[in-house]
Amino acid sequence: MLKLSAVFLSLALVSGCSTIVSESSYPVSISSNPSQADFVLVNREGQQVHTGTTPDTVTLNASSGFFKGETYQLILSKDGYEEKTIEIESTVDGWYFGNILFGGLIGMLIVDPATGAMFKLPEGAEAQLDEKAVDASTVTIAMIDAIPEEQRASLIQVK
């Protein structure tokens, strides 16, 4: 029994609470209204980490380095709609503070920050895309010879 207690105590001292209970990467669902929007995910370094079409689920790292949470820019686009950018930002995982009771200083200052388990990401990101405004005041001038015969019937003569 004493050996078993010593093993558990050793594990607690060399591991972090978030590392035991949490992950360092998370599935994040990406959705938009309307759906079928193209998206690009870019990390804080400006590197493209994923592309796809909504709806989709991607697995993202919550950390970008030692004591550094990751932030992503989600850029969505769809024909006829304005491009939309949303920030997906990691936050400190509540289990990280469990190191006060279970992981000690080693877990709090070394293990969880090094593994990235001290951070978590939201379960999803959703965007409402806005339709592009049509500018009705635009006028196109073209030579009559450049307009196909089937479209000439809908022309309005300007006097």
Side-chain angles (χ1 to χ4, degrees), residues 16-28 58-64 68-70 90-96 111-122:
C17 196
S18 287
T19 303
I20 295 169
V21 178
S22 298
E23 303 289 327
S24 58
S25 60
Y26 292 85
V28 178
V58 297
T59 301
L60 301 173
N61 290 327
S63 172
S64 67
K68 195 175 200 181
E70 185 63 274
S90 64
T91 57
V92 175
D93 190 331
W95 283 108
Y96 173 67
V111 178
D112 285 350
T115 62
M118 72 177 288
F119 297 104
K120 66 178 180 176
L121 287 167

Tab-separated table of all heavy atoms in Angstrom, residues 16-28 58-64 68-70 90-96 111-122:
chain	number	residue	atom	x	y	z
A	16	GLY	N	1.160	17.505	-14.690
A	16	GLY	CA	0.283	18.636	-14.426
A	16	GLY	C	-1.156	18.195	-14.424
A	16	GLY	O	-1.530	17.235	-15.085
A	17	CYS	N	-1.971	18.927	-13.715
A	17	CYS	CA	-3.375	18.575	-13.607
A	17	CYS	C	-4.071	18.651	-14.960
A	17	CYS	O	-4.804	17.761	-15.341
A	17	CYS	CB	-4.061	19.488	-12.593
A	17	CYS	SG	-5.654	18.852	-12.054
A	18	SER	N	-3.849	19.726	-15.715
A	18	SER	CA	-4.482	19.849	-17.029
A	18	SER	C	-3.977	18.786	-17.987
A	18	SER	O	-4.715	18.306	-18.833
A	18	SER	CB	-4.219	21.232	-17.625
A	18	SER	OG	-4.977	22.198	-16.965
A	19	THR	N	-2.722	18.410	-17.865
A	19	THR	CA	-2.165	17.382	-18.733
A	19	THR	C	-2.864	16.053	-18.503
A	19	THR	O	-3.103	15.299	-19.439
A	19	THR	CB	-0.646	17.235	-18.480
A	19	THR	OG1	-0.031	18.505	-18.698
A	19	THR	CG2	-0.029	16.210	-19.398
A	20	ILE	N	-3.234	15.772	-17.263
A	20	ILE	CA	-3.913	14.521	-16.937
A	20	ILE	C	-5.371	14.562	-17.392
A	20	ILE	O	-5.869	13.619	-17.991
A	20	ILE	CB	-3.855	14.250	-15.416
A	20	ILE	CG1	-2.419	14.024	-14.989
A	20	ILE	CG2	-4.718	13.059	-15.043
A	20	ILE	CD1	-2.223	14.018	-13.490
A	21	VAL	N	-6.064	15.662	-17.143
A	21	VAL	CA	-7.512	15.751	-17.343
A	21	VAL	C	-7.896	16.302	-18.708
A	21	VAL	O	-8.893	15.910	-19.285
A	21	VAL	CB	-8.135	16.614	-16.217
A	21	VAL	CG1	-9.619	16.768	-16.402
A	21	VAL	CG2	-7.831	16.012	-14.861
A	22	SER	N	-7.112	17.225	-19.265
A	22	SER	CA	-7.482	17.921	-20.496
A	22	SER	C	-6.615	17.502	-21.670
A	22	SER	O	-5.742	16.668	-21.548
A	22	SER	CB	-7.360	19.433	-20.282
A	22	SER	OG	-8.241	19.862	-19.291
A	23	GLU	N	-6.869	18.142	-22.787
A	23	GLU	CA	-6.130	17.893	-24.023
A	23	GLU	C	-5.300	19.128	-24.366
A	23	GLU	O	-5.473	20.187	-23.786
A	23	GLU	CB	-7.121	17.623	-25.168
A	23	GLU	CG	-8.067	16.473	-24.922
A	23	GLU	CD	-7.384	15.126	-24.962
A	23	GLU	OE1	-6.420	14.961	-25.739
A	23	GLU	OE2	-7.789	14.238	-24.205
A	24	SER	N	-4.441	18.988	-25.360
A	24	SER	CA	-3.715	20.153	-25.859
A	24	SER	C	-4.228	20.562	-27.238
A	24	SER	O	-3.887	21.620	-27.735
A	24	SER	CB	-2.216	19.879	-25.907
A	24	SER	OG	-1.951	18.761	-26.715
A	25	SER	N	-5.058	19.722	-27.848
A	25	SER	CA	-5.726	20.084	-29.095
A	25	SER	C	-7.206	19.715	-28.965
A	25	SER	O	-7.556	18.766	-28.258
A	25	SER	CB	-5.082	19.393	-30.289
A	25	SER	OG	-5.146	17.994	-30.159
A	26	TYR	N	-8.052	20.491	-29.643
A	26	TYR	CA	-9.495	20.358	-29.481
A	26	TYR	C	-10.203	20.361	-30.822
A	26	TYR	O	-9.799	21.089	-31.735
A	26	TYR	CB	-10.041	21.532	-28.658
A	26	TYR	CG	-9.613	21.527	-27.218
A	26	TYR	CD1	-8.403	22.082	-26.834
A	26	TYR	CD2	-10.413	20.947	-26.249
A	26	TYR	CE1	-8.002	22.073	-25.509
A	26	TYR	CE2	-10.027	20.927	-24.923
A	26	TYR	CZ	-8.819	21.485	-24.561
A	26	TYR	OH	-8.420	21.469	-23.256
A	27	PRO	N	-11.294	19.584	-30.945
A	27	PRO	CA	-12.124	19.695	-32.139
A	27	PRO	C	-12.977	20.968	-32.044
A	27	PRO	O	-13.590	21.230	-31.009
A	27	PRO	CB	-12.993	18.441	-32.089
A	27	PRO	CG	-13.044	18.061	-30.653
A	27	PRO	CD	-11.744	18.542	-30.046
A	28	VAL	N	-12.974	21.758	-33.099
A	28	VAL	CA	-13.749	22.998	-33.139
A	28	VAL	C	-14.652	22.926	-34.362
A	28	VAL	O	-14.167	22.740	-35.491
A	28	VAL	CB	-12.825	24.234	-33.228
A	28	VAL	CG1	-13.634	25.513	-33.319
A	28	VAL	CG2	-11.868	24.280	-32.035
A	58	VAL	N	-12.687	20.900	-37.277
A	58	VAL	CA	-11.236	20.831	-37.404
A	58	VAL	C	-10.630	20.662	-36.015
A	58	VAL	O	-11.208	21.088	-35.022
A	58	VAL	CB	-10.663	22.087	-38.093
A	58	VAL	CG1	-11.177	22.210	-39.503
A	58	VAL	CG2	-10.977	23.339	-37.315
A	59	THR	N	-9.484	20.017	-35.945
A	59	THR	CA	-8.770	19.853	-34.677
A	59	THR	C	-7.646	20.874	-34.648
A	59	THR	O	-6.807	20.907	-35.545
A	59	THR	CB	-8.227	18.427	-34.536
A	59	THR	OG1	-9.327	17.507	-34.605
A	59	THR	CG2	-7.507	18.250	-33.213
A	60	LEU	N	-7.662	21.718	-33.606
A	60	LEU	CA	-6.708	22.815	-33.494
A	60	LEU	C	-5.914	22.721	-32.199
A	60	LEU	O	-6.443	22.299	-31.171
A	60	LEU	CB	-7.445	24.159	-33.514
A	60	LEU	CG	-8.279	24.456	-34.756
A	60	LEU	CD1	-9.090	25.731	-34.559
A	60	LEU	CD2	-7.384	24.572	-35.978
A	61	ASN	N	-4.661	23.137	-32.244
A	61	ASN	CA	-3.830	23.205	-31.047
A	61	ASN	C	-4.249	24.412	-30.213
A	61	ASN	O	-4.444	25.498	-30.751
A	61	ASN	CB	-2.353	23.339	-31.410
A	61	ASN	CG	-1.812	22.065	-32.013
A	61	ASN	OD1	-2.231	20.975	-31.656
A	61	ASN	ND2	-0.894	22.198	-32.941
A	62	ALA	N	-4.369	24.235	-28.916
A	62	ALA	CA	-4.773	25.323	-28.025
A	62	ALA	C	-3.595	26.212	-27.634
A	62	ALA	O	-3.793	27.330	-27.172
A	62	ALA	CB	-5.431	24.757	-26.763
A	63	SER	N	-2.386	25.737	-27.838
A	63	SER	CA	-1.191	26.483	-27.428
A	63	SER	C	-0.322	26.784	-28.635
A	63	SER	O	-0.275	26.016	-29.588
A	63	SER	CB	-0.393	25.647	-26.422
A	63	SER	OG	0.843	26.241	-26.133
A	64	SER	N	0.381	27.915	-28.561
A	64	SER	CA	1.344	28.229	-29.620
A	64	SER	C	2.762	28.317	-29.056
A	64	SER	O	3.655	28.853	-29.696
A	64	SER	CB	0.970	29.536	-30.315
A	64	SER	OG	1.110	30.618	-29.431
A	68	LYS	N	1.888	30.297	-23.872
A	68	LYS	CA	1.349	31.131	-24.944
A	68	LYS	C	0.157	30.427	-25.591
A	68	LYS	O	0.320	29.430	-26.290
A	68	LYS	CB	2.444	31.381	-25.987
A	68	LYS	CG	2.170	32.486	-26.948
A	68	LYS	CD	3.402	32.663	-27.823
A	68	LYS	CE	3.433	34.007	-28.473
A	68	LYS	NZ	4.610	34.143	-29.339
A	69	GLY	N	-1.041	30.959	-25.343
A	69	GLY	CA	-2.236	30.403	-25.954
A	69	GLY	C	-2.300	30.768	-27.429
A	69	GLY	O	-1.760	31.782	-27.857
A	70	GLU	N	-2.972	29.931	-28.208
A	70	GLU	CA	-3.079	30.170	-29.649
A	70	GLU	C	-4.311	31.009	-29.967
A	70	GLU	O	-5.322	30.933	-29.271
A	70	GLU	CB	-3.152	28.843	-30.407
A	70	GLU	CG	-3.141	28.973	-31.919
A	70	GLU	CD	-1.868	29.593	-32.462
A	70	GLU	OE1	-1.785	30.839	-32.528
A	70	GLU	OE2	-0.953	28.843	-32.826
A	90	SER	N	-7.806	30.921	-27.589
A	90	SER	CA	-7.729	29.971	-26.483
A	90	SER	C	-7.822	30.716	-25.157
A	90	SER	O	-7.488	31.897	-25.070
A	90	SER	CB	-6.422	29.169	-26.552
A	90	SER	OG	-5.316	30.022	-26.387
A	91	THR	N	-8.289	30.008	-24.150
A	91	THR	CA	-8.377	30.556	-22.795
A	91	THR	C	-7.729	29.555	-21.844
A	91	THR	O	-7.509	28.400	-22.196
A	91	THR	CB	-9.841	30.799	-22.375
A	91	THR	OG1	-10.568	29.562	-22.490
A	91	THR	CG2	-10.503	31.859	-23.236
A	92	VAL	N	-7.445	30.004	-20.643
A	92	VAL	CA	-6.832	29.115	-19.650
A	92	VAL	C	-7.868	28.095	-19.196
A	92	VAL	O	-8.991	28.439	-18.841
A	92	VAL	CB	-6.286	29.925	-18.449
A	92	VAL	CG1	-5.755	28.977	-17.373
A	92	VAL	CG2	-5.193	30.879	-18.900
A	93	ASP	N	-7.475	26.830	-19.233
A	93	ASP	CA	-8.330	25.729	-18.806
A	93	ASP	C	-8.445	25.746	-17.284
A	93	ASP	O	-7.447	25.888	-16.583
A	93	ASP	CB	-7.708	24.408	-19.274
A	93	ASP	CG	-8.622	23.216	-19.099
A	93	ASP	OD1	-9.466	23.216	-18.195
A	93	ASP	OD2	-8.475	22.259	-19.881
A	94	GLY	N	-9.650	25.606	-16.771
A	94	GLY	CA	-9.874	25.604	-15.331
A	94	GLY	C	-9.098	24.520	-14.599
A	94	GLY	O	-8.715	24.690	-13.435
A	95	TRP	N	-8.835	23.405	-15.297
A	95	TRP	CA	-8.076	22.327	-14.665
A	95	TRP	C	-6.630	22.723	-14.389
A	95	TRP	O	-5.956	22.106	-13.568
A	95	TRP	CB	-8.101	21.065	-15.536
A	95	TRP	CG	-9.405	20.341	-15.434
A	95	TRP	CD1	-10.374	20.272	-16.394
A	95	TRP	CD2	-9.891	19.600	-14.320
A	95	TRP	NE1	-11.428	19.536	-15.940
A	95	TRP	CE2	-11.162	19.106	-14.663
A	95	TRP	CE3	-9.383	19.308	-13.062
A	95	TRP	CZ2	-11.914	18.334	-13.798
A	95	TRP	CZ3	-10.138	18.537	-12.194
A	95	TRP	CH2	-11.386	18.061	-12.572
A	96	TYR	N	-6.154	23.748	-15.069
A	96	TYR	CA	-4.781	24.211	-14.834
A	96	TYR	C	-4.601	24.603	-13.363
A	96	TYR	O	-3.562	24.348	-12.771
A	96	TYR	CB	-4.472	25.398	-15.761
A	96	TYR	CG	-3.154	26.060	-15.498
A	96	TYR	CD1	-1.957	25.391	-15.729
A	96	TYR	CD2	-3.084	27.360	-15.018
A	96	TYR	CE1	-0.733	25.998	-15.499
A	96	TYR	CE2	-1.868	27.978	-14.789
A	96	TYR	CZ	-0.699	27.288	-15.020
A	96	TYR	OH	0.508	27.899	-14.785
A	111	VAL	N	5.051	21.445	-16.699
A	111	VAL	CA	4.381	20.399	-17.475
A	111	VAL	C	3.208	20.946	-18.286
A	111	VAL	O	3.166	20.788	-19.512
A	111	VAL	CB	3.923	19.239	-16.561
A	111	VAL	CG1	3.182	18.187	-17.362
A	111	VAL	CG2	5.115	18.622	-15.851
A	112	ASP	N	2.232	21.579	-17.629
A	112	ASP	CA	1.063	22.061	-18.363
A	112	ASP	C	1.404	23.140	-19.393
A	112	ASP	O	0.908	23.091	-20.521
A	112	ASP	CB	-0.021	22.564	-17.405
A	112	ASP	CG	-0.752	21.414	-16.715
A	112	ASP	OD1	-0.550	20.249	-17.109
A	112	ASP	OD2	-1.530	21.693	-15.784
A	113	PRO	N	2.267	24.115	-19.083
A	113	PRO	CA	2.643	25.087	-20.119
A	113	PRO	C	3.406	24.452	-21.284
A	113	PRO	O	3.235	24.851	-22.430
A	113	PRO	CB	3.535	26.079	-19.369
A	113	PRO	CG	3.133	25.962	-17.943
A	113	PRO	CD	2.764	24.520	-17.755
A	114	ALA	N	4.246	23.461	-21.003
A	114	ALA	CA	5.033	22.824	-22.059
A	114	ALA	C	4.180	21.955	-22.968
A	114	ALA	O	4.409	21.896	-24.180
A	114	ALA	CB	6.161	21.995	-21.451
A	115	THR	N	3.197	21.275	-22.410
A	115	THR	CA	2.342	20.397	-23.221
A	115	THR	C	1.223	21.166	-23.908
A	115	THR	O	0.595	20.654	-24.826
A	115	THR	CB	1.707	19.292	-22.356
A	115	THR	OG1	0.868	19.904	-21.368
A	115	THR	CG2	2.762	18.421	-21.712
A	116	GLY	N	0.940	22.389	-23.457
A	116	GLY	CA	-0.161	23.166	-24.020
A	116	GLY	C	-1.495	22.849	-23.383
A	116	GLY	O	-2.524	23.414	-23.746
A	117	ALA	N	-1.504	21.937	-22.412
A	117	ALA	CA	-2.758	21.523	-21.783
A	117	ALA	C	-3.333	22.586	-20.853
A	117	ALA	O	-4.449	22.449	-20.382
A	117	ALA	CB	-2.555	20.219	-21.016
A	118	MET	N	-2.592	23.655	-20.599
A	118	MET	CA	-3.120	24.707	-19.728
A	118	MET	C	-4.155	25.569	-20.447
A	118	MET	O	-4.836	26.368	-19.832
A	118	MET	CB	-2.004	25.574	-19.162
A	118	MET	CG	-1.345	26.510	-20.143
A	118	MET	SD	-0.081	27.573	-19.395
A	118	MET	CE	-1.065	28.713	-18.459
A	119	PHE	N	-4.285	25.383	-21.787
A	119	PHE	CA	-5.228	26.175	-22.574
A	119	PHE	C	-6.324	25.292	-23.157
A	119	PHE	O	-6.132	24.094	-23.348
A	119	PHE	CB	-4.497	26.888	-23.721
A	119	PHE	CG	-3.470	27.870	-23.248
A	119	PHE	CD1	-2.125	27.568	-23.300
A	119	PHE	CD2	-3.855	29.100	-22.742
A	119	PHE	CE1	-1.177	28.470	-22.866
A	119	PHE	CE2	-2.912	30.008	-22.295
A	119	PHE	CZ	-1.570	29.689	-22.357
A	120	LYS	N	-7.454	25.907	-23.466
A	120	LYS	CA	-8.536	25.203	-24.156
A	120	LYS	C	-9.106	26.133	-25.221
A	120	LYS	O	-8.888	27.350	-25.198
A	120	LYS	CB	-9.628	24.779	-23.176
A	120	LYS	CG	-10.392	25.923	-22.540
A	120	LYS	CD	-11.472	25.416	-21.635
A	120	LYS	CE	-12.218	26.597	-20.999
A	120	LYS	NZ	-13.328	26.155	-20.195
A	121	LEU	N	-9.827	25.544	-26.159
A	121	LEU	CA	-10.464	26.293	-27.241
A	121	LEU	C	-11.978	26.133	-27.149
A	121	LEU	O	-12.466	25.141	-26.591
A	121	LEU	CB	-9.983	25.779	-28.599
A	121	LEU	CG	-8.555	26.149	-28.979
A	121	LEU	CD1	-8.095	25.333	-30.179
A	121	LEU	CD2	-8.448	27.629	-29.272
A	122	PRO	N	-12.737	27.072	-27.708
A	122	PRO	CA	-14.192	26.916	-27.704
A	122	PRO	C	-14.616	25.721	-28.570
A	122	PRO	O	-13.865	25.290	-29.459
A	122	PRO	CB	-14.700	28.232	-28.299
A	122	PRO	CG	-13.562	28.785	-29.070
A	122	PRO	CD	-12.316	28.295	-28.379
